[in-house]
Amino acid sequence: MSPYATDDPVRRARAYLLRVAEPPAPTLVAFVEVHGPVEAAELLRSGEAPTSLLDATFAQGATAELADSDFAAAAAVDARLVIPEDNEWPAAMALSLHSGGALGLDWAAAPVALWVRGPVDIGVALQRAVSVTGARAATGYGEHVAGEFGFDLGTAGVTVVSGASYGVDGAVHRGALNAEGPTIAVLPCGVDVRYPAAHSLLLDRIASTGAVVSEYPPGTPPAKHRCAVRNRLLATSAATVIVEAGIRSGARNVARSAKALGKTVLAVPGPITSAMSKGCHDLLRDGTATVVDSAAQVLSRL
């Protein structure tokens, strides 16, 4: 039997649970930890779960049949559902978030499961990984630096993790791909959704040798709040590098989340006249990040 068999009761339960609540859903995660995924799913389906949990979920609108459609949509793009019971599960990522939750970080709940498109074993790949992210409206300087970092990290065999967005994210993924190194894109939508649309070919390249990952069911559209939730997964790498960031940006959110999880946070300085470097300089000034200007310096911190 395939290790990712879609008739596995535990896998089907976790597919259903991903439909029950938008992540990070700490209350749902805690309920699953107590009851196990199969019993938790049944209690929610039957309406026998605590009222407070039922009120905070979509349990009444989610049906077991949704798992069938999700598995079919995933199969259409050669994706699989990776669950905590699998050998492939990225335990270090989950542990980081679980520990953050224990410290009172309500956004730090671990994923219930992850949809994965691509051949790489994410559990192995994420054991030595660096997240590199930054401004969507990156300057030529930012894209150049991100591409170099991606290439050099990829050459060193380090998994490059980013969000496949425009600007810095796209550049760092391309750099890693050009080095034939492992790279993982974490999406704020389903793994079958082409987002951003102009990066369709890039996502295909990533999925051909690395992985496209999401905790959202297939078909889920991107949304601003989902980008913010996705960022907590980027923050679990051993180190996070911010190449460019405005004063108000998702990249700064990734950096502060990584710092809260006790991870190494690094930022690339830029021209003092550039609005796209002000966020990096702010992270350096307040002690959230340490300055870095080469991939070699990043590697020395792993």
Side-chain angles (χ1 to χ4, degrees):
M1 185 176 74
S2 165
Y4 304 102
T6 59
D7 59 353
D8 172 17
V10 176
R11 197 172 311 279
R12 291 183 63 80
R14 287 193 178 275
Y16 166 80
L17 291 167
L18 285 178
R19 283 283 182 184
V20 163
E22 285 258 349
T27 304
L28 174 64
V29 171
F31 188 71
V32 174
E33 288 177 351
V34 171
H35 295 279
V38 175
E39 183 181 352
E42 182 54 37
L43 290 170
L44 283 161
R45 270 195 295 261
S46 65
E48 296 177 21
T51 302
S52 58
L53 182 59
L54 292 172
D55 290 344
T57 65
F58 317 127
Q60 293 181 332
T63 64
E65 289 70 29
L66 280 174
D68 292 322
S69 60
D70 286 342
F71 284 126
V77 294
D78 294 322
R80 61 193 181 278
L81 184 65
V82 177
I83 60 178
E85 292 78 10
D86 290 330
N87 291 334
E88 186 183 355
W89 183 250
M93 169 193 283
L95 180 60
S96 291
L97 292 169
H98 182 79
S99 298
L103 292 173
L105 304 175
D106 57 3
W107 50 264
V112 170
L114 291 167
W115 292 99
V116 180
R117 175 187 170 214
V120 76
D121 181 315
I122 60 170
V124 173
L126 290 173
Q127 287 177 6
R128 191 165 185 254
V130 172
S131 291
V132 183
T133 190
R136 289 180 174 86
T139 66
Y141 162 78
E143 292 198 9
H144 174 76
V145 169
E148 284 199 338
F149 273 54
F151 184 88
D152 291 344
L153 291 170
T155 298
V158 173
T159 301
V160 174
V161 183
S162 197
S165 298
Y166 295 126
V168 167
D169 289 17
V172 74
H173 283 305
R174 292 187 186 95
L177 289 166
N178 290 340
E180 299 184 356
T183 188
I184 293 176
V186 186
L187 302 186
C189 56
V191 294
D192 59 336
V193 177
R194 305 288 183 166
Y195 178 77
H199 279 181
S200 291
L201 293 178
L202 175 61
L203 289 167
D204 286 343
R205 288 184 66 195
I206 294 169
S208 68
T209 59
V212 175
V213 175
S214 176
E215 59 188 322
Y216 294 100
T220 303
K224 185 175 182 180
H225 71 276
R226 291 176 181 142
C227 289
V229 170
R230 177 272 313 272
N231 286 347
R232 83 189 195 288
L233 303 185
L234 297 180
T236 61
S237 292
T240 293
V241 181
I242 308 301
V243 175
E244 281 190 318
I247 287 295
R248 297 180 181 85
S249 71
R252 292 176 76 242
N253 172 264
V254 176
R256 298 197 187 286
S257 297
K259 186 73 170 180
L261 293 174
K263 304 297 183 179
T264 296
V265 182
L266 306 165
V268 177
I272 61 173
T273 54
S274 173
M276 287 300 100
S277 286
K278 289 189 180 299
C280 290
H281 297 161
D282 189 44
L283 292 170
L284 294 169
R285 186 165 43 249
D286 68 16
T288 299
T290 301
V291 68
V292 65
D293 61 18
S294 72
Q297 293 176 1
V298 178
L299 292 169
S300 72
R301 302 295 297 271
L302 297 182

